[in-house]
Amino acid sequence: MNVNGINPFETQILGPQSLSSLDVRDPNAPEAAQQPTRSDSEQAQLSGDRVSLSEAGRKALADATGKSLHNSEAAKTDKARKAEETEEDENLSEIDKKIKELKQKLEELQLELQALQGDDSDAAELERKRLQDQIAITTNQLMALLKAKEKQVQPRD
């Protein structure tokens, strides 16, 4: 089946005039039936169908198309940001890389802790305790690395 304006072969020749109506044609139908003349409208009705989209359908199509375009652009932006971060990471010292890693881990742990807010179950209480312990350990590691970095930066007398 061939949908005028959507099939890749047809889009090169005939793009849809609007999103509200598309011509649907059977590729197995004779060529004369696919190219109807005004006097031959009955034959066109037999070999092709006309599809119309309602206002809600057009809006849904536009939303879906917009979302896919937005997601594709967001993916490109995300890839560029990751490439930039990778380039920055290559220029960092080992201590700076570990500090960055610990900061990210700390943020993740804090988000997990926030997610448990309002849950009064015993399992949630145990998970909160575990997360708080991990936050304390990670914070101590971060502080030790920051002190080590400070010692590296200070001029030796």
Side-chain angles (χ1 to χ4, degrees):
M1 187 174 282
N2 183 13
V3 178
N4 222 7
I6 294 179
N7 187 322
F9 299 110
E10 290 295 321
T11 53
Q12 295 173 358
I13 301 168
L14 301 171
Q17 299 302 317
S18 73
L19 291 178
S20 62
S21 117
L22 299 170
D23 288 324
V24 180
R25 297 199 176 129
D26 185 1
N28 298 326
E31 190 64 33
Q34 289 192 21
Q35 307 259 336
T37 61
R38 291 181 194 255
S39 62
D40 214 10
S41 62
E42 245 181 67
Q43 193 177 21
Q45 295 252 339
L46 294 175
S47 67
D49 295 329
R50 185 131 183 103
V51 178
S52 297
L53 295 176
S54 66
E55 185 64 34
R58 277 183 287 204
K59 185 172 190 242
L61 178 62
D63 288 346
T65 305
K67 285 179 186 174
S68 67
L69 289 173
H70 175 73
N71 290 341
S72 132
E73 188 61 34
K76 288 178 187 175
T77 304
D78 191 40
K79 285 180 184 177
R81 189 181 75 245
K82 285 182 181 179
E84 188 176 299
E85 286 176 1
T86 303
E87 189 176 306
E88 288 175 4
D89 286 350
E90 290 173 357
N91 297 333
L92 295 177
S93 69
E94 287 300 314
I95 290 180
D96 289 332
K97 288 178 185 178
K98 189 66 176 170
I99 288 172
K100 184 176 179 180
E101 182 182 312
L102 287 174
K103 284 181 179 180
Q104 288 175 342
K105 183 178 179 182
L106 197 56
E107 287 176 16
E108 290 171 7
L109 290 170
Q110 289 170 342
L111 288 174
E112 287 181 45
L113 188 61
Q114 284 179 346
L116 290 173
Q117 207 169 17
D119 188 351
D120 295 331
S121 68
D122 290 337
E125 188 61 37
L126 288 173
E127 183 67 11
R128 269 194 290 278
K129 176 71 174 137
R130 184 187 68 79
L131 288 171
Q132 288 169 345
D133 289 345
Q134 282 187 329
I135 288 172
I137 291 169
T138 305
T139 302
N140 286 336
Q141 290 173 338
L142 184 60
M143 294 301 292
L145 284 173
L146 289 172
K147 286 180 183 178
K149 182 180 176 182
E150 185 179 322
K151 285 181 182 180
Q152 278 183 346
V153 173
Q154 287 180 351
R156 295 181 181 150
D157 293 329

